[in-house]
Amino acid sequence: GLPGSTFIWDVFTTAYRKVAGGSQAVSGKATLDWDLKDKDGSPVADGLYFIRVKASGIQSFAPKIFKVIVLR
């Protein structure tokens, strides 16, 4: 999995879940697999979500926040 922590929340700042897993390539790029479910295992609604990624062991890098739109 990816070293560090990854959290997902919606525009209302509702925390949906902490995600584990994904993979990191030699190039330093990483992928994250999210099954589009919340912390209780229910599918999330369509809408805008934020993903916060913080690498562990790297003090000089600030957490990164990405926007994701879920549309089915």
Side-chain angles (χ1 to χ4, degrees):
L2 294 172
S5 61
T6 304
F7 295 93
I8 299 171
W9 70 95
D10 67 9
V11 294
F12 302 109
T13 65
T14 302
Y16 274 89
R17 70 188 286 190
K18 180 177 179 179
V19 178
S23 61
Q24 187 167 4
V26 175
S27 65
K29 294 183 180 181
T31 62
L32 175 69
D33 297 321
W34 178 31
D35 58 5
L36 301 179
K37 293 183 181 177
D38 64 17
K39 63 185 174 203
D40 298 321
S42 300
V44 298
D46 290 358
L48 178 63
Y49 294 85
F50 299 93
I51 299 176
R52 178 186 178 269
V53 179
K54 171 107 171 67
S56 64
I58 304 174
Q59 300 301 323
S60 62
F61 291 102
K64 300 290 184 190
I65 296 177
F66 301 93
K67 294 182 217 173
V68 175
I69 297 175
V70 175
L71 294 174
R72 294 186 185 95

